[in-house]
């Protein structure tokens, strides 16, 4: 096929007459060819409903015609040809509906391209669904028009809801907390709002107000709405409306000063896609505006088409200069290509319409016939895939799936792309960047921005309006605890003065803000001056909008935070219980037992007995002082053990193991006695102050009366804890609380006061010698100032509060209103007295026990090893274990003559015996007339034990003879020969 350029080259090379003849011949040839083609092709009626008086209507129709021409030029062998049946809706909803009804009923079109606006499409979609005629729109973008509503509606355009994530990403990047949407009051404007609100809530952005503009507003109406926005704190606006109305809005906004520094304006894609169509004066008023625009990849095909389209459009519209093609025209082009292609693929078997069987023919709507080819066209459209001028053409659920957006910034040189947004990567500086592994909302990915007022600094998104009213700060009115908030009314001047600790903190913080804030205190009171309600009701007034904030002493609770925002707390947190204290003066005759608890007394007594037993075991075989009759041995062991209390033990221990045990035990006794002495001295001399109650559950069980500050949230806590409401009393001041506590529950008072820590500390500052704080029964976040949800003041006030708390000014304010801390402020430290318990000494007992057991094990092991020849003698196989144990105990009960103590004494006694024998010999000489002296000792045999049948040898003992000249100690001679060997005979 010849192109226009080839035509012109050929024409320039031949004479004019020949060229004219040749040109006329070619025209006739093409006419004949087209006539033959028309005879072999099948026309298919298609409707087009547009507003031909508007720019988008003219551009759309132009792109539709070019799409058909291009399609059939490249597919001349196709049998079908779309025949366009155009209707002008004249920007009217009824006109669009009438045009659609005419096309479906009278022309019986197979599909309809259009209409232009979302309002027009709303009714046309229902007609298409009734007649099974696909409605293909390339410019109706409202989110309320969805294919789920009708399977015959296809939107070859981006859904408005697809851009809300991109808008929320911009807001999140700059940390703005409040946004006001400005939208037109029709199907187009309202459709995006639910999706926009949800996206903003996902990033914790609040919408305090919605600015709704009428569909055909007067300039005064626009001005009134803009003035209302100017008096608000929020400075971030999202504009969603058509181009013609948005032009008027921005022009008026500049006149009202809303395009100056500090403001933020964000446009949706409906305006940004058509920003080139706006007049230069309108663009001048939009300096610094951000916009979200549909991203169209730049390709060679798109550039060539744009050139051809400008030429074609200028020929048909010579009065329109500098026409610019936008994405709406590209969508119209791609939609027409898709429709022409599926009509050919579906075939020409059945283009008829059938009448409904249940039609009553009462109205035109009931006489609409049903297309037989509609279901096939619907199915083919859903499966169409190709690469169009606007990008990838794919209809999922009847919606065009193209979701990449450009973020632009309007300036004097036009608009400049500062970033891109994709669902996968969020905000990115460049597409196809390597650093896109995760979703990002960082402002570092945005290019430089010129904000309204030619400012390069990022607006904070809110301001205190200087021309607006003062902030109304609510304060509580109460009779007591006026140290925190005190409201004084002067009847002579009819003025109200608000003072107090909390008020001074609030004033100091507001002065520290980096900007001026004008406010006034409004008492929460009735006309007669009395309090208008509880703290919960006061806080709720902020939620209702009656107050802009609350300054005072409201506690931060989870329930209240559901309705308002709190600043950082400026006091300690929690609900505590204050009770009277009493002196425990029960010093009776048994007071000496109180320093130690019962378990420690028992443990100490047991260890005294145990240590005595250990010493007896270690000393019995080798020490004469621990031998004798059983009662003597028991008494000696216990005496030795208990005498360590006063270190009066007289017995000498000879075993090193015993000395090891005694050293450890003396150390334990020393610590135990010193602790007992100190505790007893404190008990007898120091005044012991104890609380009358230590557990709040005792109050519930005993049914005692309790008190709380009137209007405090502590009442709700007491009810939650199942307190009897008849047992709950309110007090208004610290003086009244003192009076109730002094009287006591039995005398018409209260047994405990329960309230916030800050209030109870104020009570203790005045009466610290009478009461004490014993238990924190409920955790809160302290006292804070109240602001509306999402208020931008919260973060700045909280930051100023932290600086105040960390400085010296906070201490000055506390001293001025709450007074100096008294010497008995920390009365809790001297409230309770506790006896010494086993928990404090179990480590010492553990050391003593382990040391004693270790000495026992070593001693027994040495005994078994040394006496193994006597212990492990031959027993009958029938001998019981008990007889073996008795045999071992009998051996243990005997002296260990091989011990060094007995060896030393035996050697000494032998020397004494030799001396005696010499003297006896001299006395026995013949010259001596006296008879020989009797023997110096008499020998007696130890009776056999129960084990004598086993061959246990007897022992001999030498008893001193009182008739002898000298006293000799008994010397035991033990036979250690073979058991059957007889012992020495006694003459």
């Amino acid at each position: 096929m010849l192109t226009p350029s080839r035509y012109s080259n050929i024409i320039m090379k031949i004479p004019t007459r020949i060229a004219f003849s040749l040109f006329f011949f070619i025209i006739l040839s093409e006419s004949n060819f087209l006539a033959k083609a028309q005879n072999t092709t099948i026309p298919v009626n298609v409707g087009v409903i547009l507003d031909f008086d508007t720019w988008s209507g003219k551009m759309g129709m132009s792109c539709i015609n070019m799409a058909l021409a291009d399609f059939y030029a490249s597919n001349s062998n196709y049998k079908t040809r779309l025949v366009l049946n155009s209707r002008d809706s004249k920007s009217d909803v009824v006109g669009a509906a009438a045009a659609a009804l005419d096309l479906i009923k009278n022309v019986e079109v197979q599909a309809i391209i259009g209409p232009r606006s979302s309002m027009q499409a709303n009714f046309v979609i229902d007609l298409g669904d009734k007649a099974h005629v696909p409605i293909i729109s390339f410019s109706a973008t409202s989110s309320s028009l969805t294919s789920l509503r009708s399977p015959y509606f296809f939107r070859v355009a981006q859904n408005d809801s697809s851009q809300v994530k991109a808008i929320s990403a911009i807001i999140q990047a700059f940390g703005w907390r409040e946004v006001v949407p400005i939208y037109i009051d029709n199907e187009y404007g309202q459709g995006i709002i639910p999706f926009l609100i949800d996206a903003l809530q996902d990033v914790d952005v609040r919408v305090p107000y919605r600015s709704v503009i009428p569909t055909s507003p007067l300039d005064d109406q626009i001005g009134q709405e803009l003035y209302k926005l100017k008096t608000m704190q929020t400075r971030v606006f999202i504009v969603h409306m058509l181009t013609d109305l948005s032009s008027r809005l921005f022009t008026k906004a500049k006149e009202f000063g809303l395009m100056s520094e500090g403001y933020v304006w964000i446009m949706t894609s409906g305006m940004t896609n058509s920003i080139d169509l706006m007049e230069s004066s309108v663009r001048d008023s939009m300096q610094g505006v951000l916009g979200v625009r549909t991203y169209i990849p730049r390709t060679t095909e798109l550039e060539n088409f744009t050139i051809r389209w400008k030429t074609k459009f200028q020929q048909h519209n010579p009065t329109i200069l500098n026409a610019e093609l936008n994405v709406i025209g590209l969508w119209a082009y791609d939609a027409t290509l898709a429709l022409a292609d599926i009509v050919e693929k579906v075939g020409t078997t059945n283009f008829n319409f059938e009448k409904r069987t249940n039609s009553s023919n009462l109205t035109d709507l009931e006489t609409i016939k049903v297309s037989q080819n509609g279901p096939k066209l619907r199915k083919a459209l859903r499966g169409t895939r190709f690469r169009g001028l606007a990008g990838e053409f794919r209809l999922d659920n009847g919606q065009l799936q193209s979701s990449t957006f450009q973020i632009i910034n309007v300036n004097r040189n036009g608009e400049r792309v500062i970033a891109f947004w994709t669902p996968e990567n969020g905000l990115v500086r460049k597409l196809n960047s390597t650093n896109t592994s995760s979703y990002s909302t960082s402002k570092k990915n945005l290019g430089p921005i010129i904000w309204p007022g030619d400012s390069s600094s990022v607006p904070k998104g809110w301001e205190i309006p200087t021309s607006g009213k003062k902030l109304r700060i609510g304060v509580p009115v109460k009779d007591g605890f006026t140290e925190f908030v005190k409201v004084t009314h002067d009847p002579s001047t009819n003025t109200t003065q608000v003072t107090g600790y909390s008020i001074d903190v609030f004033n100091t913080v507001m002065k520290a803000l980096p900007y001026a804030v004008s406010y006034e205190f409004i008492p929460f009171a009735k006309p007669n001056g009395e309090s208008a309600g509880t703290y919960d009701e006061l806080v709720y007034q902020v939620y209702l909008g009656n107050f802009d904030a609350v300054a005072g002493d409201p506690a931060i609770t989870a329930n209240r935070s559901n309705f308002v925002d709190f600043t950082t707390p400026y006091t300690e947190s929690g609900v505590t219980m204050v009770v009277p204290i009493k002196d425990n003066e029960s010093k009776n005759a048994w007071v000496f037992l109180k320093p130690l608890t019962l378990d420690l007394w028992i443990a100490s007594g047991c260890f005294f007995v145990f240590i005595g037993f250990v010493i007896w075991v270690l000393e019995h075989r080798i020490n004469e002082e621990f031998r004798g009759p059983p009662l003597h041995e028991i008494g000696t062991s216990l005496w030795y053990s208990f005498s360590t209390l006063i270190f009066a033990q007289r017995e000498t221990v000879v075993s090193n193991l015993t000395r090891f045990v005694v050293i450890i035990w003396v150390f334990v006794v020393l610590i135990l006695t010193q602790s007992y002495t100190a505790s007893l001295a404190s008990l007898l001399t120091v005044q012991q102050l104890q609380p009358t109650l230590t557990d709040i559950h005792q109050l519930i069980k005993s049914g005692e009366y309790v008190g709380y500050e009137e209007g405090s949230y502590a009442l709700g806590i007491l009810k939650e804890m199942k307190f009897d409401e008849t047992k709950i009393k309110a007090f208004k001041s610290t003086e009244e609380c003192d009076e109730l506590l002094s009287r006591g529950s039995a005398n018409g008072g209260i047994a405990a006061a329960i309230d916030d820590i800050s209030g109870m500390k104020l009570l203790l500052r005045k009466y610290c010698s009478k009461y004490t704080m014993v238990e924190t029964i409920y955790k809160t976040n302290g006292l804070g100032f109240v602001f509306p949800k999402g208020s931008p003041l919260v973060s700045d006030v909280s930051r100023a509060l932290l600086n105040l708390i960390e400085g010296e000014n906070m201490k000055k304010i506390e001293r001025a209103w709450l007074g100096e801390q008294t010497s008995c402020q920390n009365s809790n430290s001297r409230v309770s007295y506790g006896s010494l318990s086993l928990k404090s000494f179990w480590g010492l007992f553990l050391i003593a026990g382990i040391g004693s057991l270790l000495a026992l094990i070593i001693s027994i092991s040495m005994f078994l090893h040394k006496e193994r020849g006597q212990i492990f003698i031959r027993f009958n196989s029938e001998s019981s274990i008990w007889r073996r144990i008795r045999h071992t105990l009998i051996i243990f009960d005997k002296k260990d003559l091989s011990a060094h103590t007995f060896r030393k004494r035996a050697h000494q006694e032998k020397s004494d015996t030799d001396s005696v024998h010499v003297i006896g010999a001299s006395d026995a000489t013949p010259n001596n007339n006296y008879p020989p002296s009797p023997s110096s000792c008499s020998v007696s045999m130890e009776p056999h034990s129960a084990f004598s049948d086993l061959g246990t040898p007897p022992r001999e003992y030498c008893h001193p003879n009182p008739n002898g000249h000298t006293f000799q100690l008994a010397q035991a001679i033990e036979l250690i020969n073979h058991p059957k060997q007889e012992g020495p005979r006694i003459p």
Side-chain angles (χ1 to χ4, degrees):
M1 182 177 177
L2 295 177
T3 62
S5 58
R6 295 183 61 185
Y7 274 125
S8 37
N9 290 335
I10 296 174
I11 291 174
M12 293 178 62
K13 294 181 180 179
I14 57 179
T16 304
R17 182 175 297 178
I18 299 176
F20 179 79
S21 301
L22 181 60
F23 180 78
F24 184 76
F25 175 77
I26 292 174
I27 293 298
L28 291 177
S29 300
E30 288 188 355
S31 299
N32 293 331
F33 174 77
L34 292 175
K36 293 179 180 180
Q38 289 177 357
N39 293 332
T40 58
T41 58
I42 301 174
V44 179
N45 289 320
V46 174
V48 178
I49 303 176
L50 294 175
D51 301 331
F52 293 125
D53 292 337
T54 63
W55 160 255
S56 60
K58 294 178 180 180
M59 177 181 59
M61 194 63 201
S62 174
C63 291
I64 291 172
N65 288 325
M66 291 186 66
L68 290 179
D70 293 345
F71 181 80
Y72 291 121
S74 58
N75 299 283
S76 57
N77 59 328
Y78 279 12
K79 296 181 180 180
T80 58
R81 293 291 186 274
L82 297 186
V83 179
L84 300 180
N85 298 269
S86 303
R87 298 291 187 272
D88 186 3
S89 61
K90 300 183 182 300
S91 302
D92 183 55
V93 175
V94 177
L101 184 61
D102 175 62
L103 291 172
I104 294 174
K105 182 179 179 180
N106 300 325
V107 183
E108 295 186 350
V109 295
Q110 299 298 311
I112 295 178
I113 301 177
R116 180 186 68 87
S117 69
S118 300
M119 292 72 67
Q120 296 171 349
N122 196 17
F123 185 72
V124 173
I125 291 172
D126 292 336
L127 291 176
D129 184 63
K130 192 176 185 65
H132 291 182
V133 174
I135 307 298
I136 307 172
S137 177
F138 56 84
S139 57
T141 59
S142 176
S143 302
S144 61
L145 306 176
T146 172
S147 61
L148 299 177
R149 175 178 168 182
S150 171
Y152 288 92
F153 173 61
F154 296 89
R155 192 203 321 260
V156 188
Q158 282 185 333
N159 191 331
D160 284 339
S161 62
S162 62
Q163 61 185 316
V164 296
K165 292 291 185 181
I167 296 174
S168 65
I170 298 173
I171 296 171
Q172 187 178 10
F174 292 102
W176 297 317
R177 311 310 307 163
E178 287 189 352
V179 170
V180 172
I182 307 174
Y183 58 95
I184 188 172
D185 189 15
N186 58 19
E187 191 87 19
Y188 172 74
Q190 297 170 357
I192 194 177
I193 295 303
F195 301 92
L196 179 62
I197 299 300
D198 290 343
L200 294 175
Q201 289 179 348
D202 290 342
V203 295
D204 198 21
V205 175
R206 181 170 171 265
V207 179
Y209 177 72
R210 303 181 187 184
S211 178
V212 183
I213 306 297
T215 53
S216 301
L218 301 175
D219 288 346
D220 291 341
Q221 291 177 299
I222 297 176
Q224 291 176 1
E225 193 63 30
L226 292 175
Y227 179 78
K228 185 184 300 183
L229 297 176
K230 190 175 182 179
T231 59
M232 295 181 179
Q233 292 184 2
T234 308
R235 291 292 184 265
V236 182
F237 307 117
I238 300 175
V239 183
H240 180 68
M241 56 185 63
L242 299 177
T243 306
D244 52 352
L245 182 56
S246 64
S247 300
R248 297 173 56 193
L249 176 72
F250 281 110
T251 302
K252 281 292 182 182
K254 187 175 183 180
E255 294 179 7
F256 277 78
L258 272 72
M259 300 302 298
S260 57
E261 185 177 357
Y263 287 89
V264 179
W265 293 83
I266 302 175
M267 299 184 299
T268 58
S269 59
M271 292 174 291
T272 313
N273 290 336
S274 303
I275 193 172
D276 294 333
L277 306 179
M278 295 183 179
E279 298 179 359
S280 58
S281 59
V282 177
R283 293 169 62 92
D284 289 341
S285 63
M286 297 172 60
Q287 299 302 311
V289 175
L290 298 180
V292 178
R293 184 170 64 186
T294 304
Y295 171 69
I296 302 298
R298 306 301 299 182
T299 60
T300 304
E301 292 80 3
L302 178 59
E303 294 178 356
N304 294 335
F305 175 78
T306 302
I307 296 173
R308 291 193 299 115
W309 176 85
K310 286 185 177 181
T311 304
K312 185 83 172 179
F313 189 82
Q314 194 67 43
Q315 291 175 356
H316 291 84
N317 303 277
T319 58
I320 301 178
L321 304 177
N322 301 322
E324 294 291 339
L325 179 66
N326 60 28
V327 68
I328 295 178
L330 301 181
W331 285 334
Y333 185 90
D334 291 345
T336 306
L337 290 183
L339 180 59
D341 183 62
I342 66 166
V343 167
E344 179 67 24
K345 290 180 180 179
V346 167
T348 60
T349 55
N350 191 359
F351 285 158
N352 299 325
F353 279 67
E354 289 187 358
K355 186 178 180 181
R356 294 177 180 272
T357 57
N358 57 352
S359 176
S360 60
N361 297 329
L362 296 177
T363 63
D364 287 341
L365 294 178
E366 293 180 349
T367 59
I368 293 179
K369 298 179 181 179
V370 178
S371 172
Q372 300 302 300
N373 206 36
K376 296 180 181 179
L377 294 176
R378 182 194 64 185
K379 183 178 180 181
L381 267 174
R382 290 181 179 275
T384 302
R385 304 283 190 276
F386 66 92
R387 185 74 181 179
L389 292 178
E392 185 69 23
F393 186 94
R394 186 180 77 255
L395 297 177
D396 291 344
N397 295 325
Q399 307 283 330
L400 184 65
Q401 303 300 313
S402 177
S403 54
T404 301
F405 291 94
Q406 291 176 322
I407 312 300
I408 68 168
N409 179 215
V410 180
N411 50 48
R412 299 188 183 279
N413 299 325
E415 65 275 358
R416 182 168 50 86
V417 178
I418 59 173
F420 295 88
W421 181 89
T422 64
E424 298 81 14
N425 303 317
L427 296 175
V428 293
R429 188 69 183 90
K430 296 180 180 179
L431 286 178
N432 302 322
S433 176
T434 56
N435 299 326
T436 56
S437 57
S438 60
Y439 190 88
S440 173
T441 57
S442 174
K443 64 180 179 182
K444 296 180 180 178
N445 295 333
L446 300 174
I449 301 175
I450 303 298
W451 302 97
D454 291 332
S455 174
S456 58
S457 59
V458 179
K460 61 181 179 180
W462 67 277
E463 293 286 347
I464 299 297
T466 56
S467 58
K469 62 180 181 180
K470 294 181 179 180
L471 295 182
R472 293 171 53 86
I473 311 299
V475 293
V477 176
K478 52 185 181 178
D479 298 330
F481 292 91
T482 55
E483 292 83 357
F484 289 97
V485 179
K486 183 178 182 180
V487 179
T488 305
H489 181 71
D490 188 356
S492 59
T493 59
N494 196 25
T495 58
T496 300
Q497 185 179 10
V498 183
T499 58
Y501 168 71
S502 300
I503 301 303
D504 273 9
V505 172
F506 184 83
N507 289 332
T508 305
V509 167
M510 299 305 287
K511 290 179 182 178
L513 296 178
Y515 43 84
V517 179
S518 179
Y519 60 91
E520 59 180 343
F521 292 114
I522 308 296
F524 184 53
K526 299 178 182 178
N528 59 2
E530 296 180 356
S531 176
T534 63
Y535 277 83
D536 286 337
E537 294 170 339
L538 172 60
V539 171
Y540 195 66
Q541 297 303 310
V542 178
Y543 174 77
L544 297 177
N546 297 329
F547 290 135
D548 298 313
V550 168
D553 53 347
I556 303 172
T557 64
N559 181 53
R560 293 173 181 175
S561 64
N562 293 327
F563 305 97
V564 296
D565 281 345
F566 287 92
T567 63
T568 299
Y570 61 89
T571 63
E572 293 184 59
S573 62
V575 175
T576 188
M577 180 171 68
V578 171
V579 298
I581 53 179
K582 63 179 180 179
D583 183 18
N584 186 20
E585 297 179 349
S586 57
K587 300 178 177 64
N588 51 32
W590 303 100
V591 70
F592 67 91
L593 295 176
K594 290 188 176 181
L596 305 183
T597 58
L598 179 61
D599 58 349
L600 184 55
W601 279 115
I602 295 175
S604 300
C606 292
F607 258 85
F608 274 110
V609 175
F610 173 69
I611 294 298
F613 169 75
V614 172
I615 294 175
W616 176 82
V617 172
L618 298 177
E619 294 291 323
H620 177 67
R621 286 174 51 83
I622 61 176
N623 195 336
E624 284 286 354
E625 295 183 354
F626 289 89
R627 297 187 63 82
L631 292 178
H632 172 75
E633 293 182 13
I634 293 174
T636 302
S637 301
L638 294 179
W639 156 257
Y640 188 89
S641 176
F642 280 93
S643 64
T644 56
L645 284 171
I646 55 175
F647 307 101
Q649 62 272 23
R650 294 177 300 175
E651 291 77 12
T652 303
V653 294
V654 296
S655 173
N656 288 332
L657 291 175
T658 306
R659 293 166 181 169
F660 170 73
V661 172
V662 170
I663 290 174
I664 296 177
W665 179 242
V666 168
F667 174 73
V668 173
V669 170
L670 176 64
I671 295 179
L672 189 62
T673 55
Q674 294 296 325
S675 301
Y676 174 84
T677 303
S679 180
L680 181 60
S682 174
L683 183 65
L684 294 175
T685 58
V686 178
Q687 185 185 29
Q688 301 297 329
L689 298 179
Q690 291 186 343
T692 55
L693 291 167
T694 57
D695 187 3
I696 192 171
H697 297 288
Q698 296 178 7
L699 294 171
I700 302 176
K701 292 179 181 178
S702 60
E704 301 282 354
Y705 284 89
V706 296
Y708 72 99
E709 182 186 355
E710 186 176 18
S712 171
Y713 67 101
L715 176 61
I717 297 175
L718 294 175
K719 291 180 179 180
E720 290 179 3
M721 298 182 71
K722 307 303 181 183
F723 269 93
D724 186 356
E725 294 188 24
T726 60
K727 300 291 185 179
I728 302 175
K729 294 185 177 182
F731 53 83
K732 297 181 180 180
S733 63
T734 55
E735 291 77 14
E736 184 178 355
C737 181
D738 171 53
E739 181 183 353
L740 291 173
L741 286 171
S742 299
R743 276 193 273 165
S745 179
N747 300 317
I750 58 177
I754 299 174
D755 202 52
D756 192 83
I757 288 180
S758 58
M760 293 297 94
K761 279 196 170 184
L762 185 61
L763 174 68
L764 293 180
R765 285 178 186 265
K766 296 182 178 181
Y767 308 102
C768 64
S769 61
K770 300 172 62 177
Y771 311 111
T772 185
M773 195 181 301
V774 295
E775 184 182 12
T776 299
I777 62 176
Y778 190 84
K779 288 295 294 180
T780 64
N781 291 319
L783 305 182
F785 302 128
V786 181
F787 288 91
K789 271 284 188 181
S791 173
L793 280 171
V794 174
S795 58
D796 290 345
V797 173
S798 297
R799 193 176 298 109
L801 263 176
L802 291 175
N803 294 331
L804 176 63
I805 294 172
E806 295 174 359
E808 292 294 328
N809 289 337
M810 192 67 170
K811 297 180 181 179
K812 295 179 181 179
I813 297 175
E814 288 182 358
R815 287 194 294 266
W817 288 101
L818 305 181
E820 296 284 350
Q821 291 188 354
T822 60
S823 58
C824 58
Q825 175 68 21
N826 296 323
S827 58
N828 290 4
S829 60
R830 53 181 171 77
V831 165
S832 62
Y833 166 79
S835 301
L836 299 175
S837 66
L838 182 60
K839 293 181 180 179
S840 304
F841 297 94
W842 72 268
L844 290 173
F845 287 123
L846 179 64
I847 295 173
I850 292 176
S852 301
L853 290 175
L854 182 62
L856 274 177
I857 293 172
I858 295 174
S859 176
I860 293 173
S861 300
M862 293 174 62
F863 163 71
L864 294 176
H865 180 268
K866 188 174 183 178
E867 302 293 341
R868 63 184 182 277
Q870 292 295 321
I871 295 174
F872 301 103
I873 61 176
R874 290 180 290 109
F875 283 89
N876 295 332
S877 59
E878 298 179 357
S879 300
S880 63
I881 296 177
W882 173 244
R883 297 186 63 188
R884 294 174 184 265
I885 294 175
R886 287 187 60 192
H887 176 66
T888 304
L889 293 177
I890 290 174
I891 297 176
F892 177 80
D893 186 54
K894 298 175 182 179
K895 290 183 180 180
D896 184 6
L897 297 178
S898 62
H900 69 282
T901 55
F902 291 130
R903 289 200 307 268
K904 181 178 179 181
R905 184 174 299 179
H907 178 71
Q908 181 179 359
E909 292 175 354
K910 182 180 180 181
S911 300
D912 295 340
T913 303
D914 291 340
S915 300
V916 172
H917 287 170
V918 172
I919 297 173
S922 62
D923 292 339
T925 59
N927 297 330
N928 192 351
N929 297 322
Y930 295 97
S933 64
S935 175
S936 61
C937 66
S938 62
V939 179
S940 65
M941 300 296 295
E942 180 180 354
H944 284 280
S945 66
F947 296 92
S948 59
D949 58 329
L950 300 176
T952 303
R955 294 189 177 184
E956 295 180 351
Y957 292 91
C958 181
H959 300 282
N961 190 342
N963 298 323
H965 298 284
T966 61
F967 179 79
Q968 298 181 2
L969 296 174
Q971 178 178 0
I973 303 173
E974 184 175 0
L975 301 177
I976 58 175
N977 296 326
H978 194 273
K980 295 183 179 181
Q981 183 178 351
E982 296 181 357
R985 294 181 180 272
I986 306 298

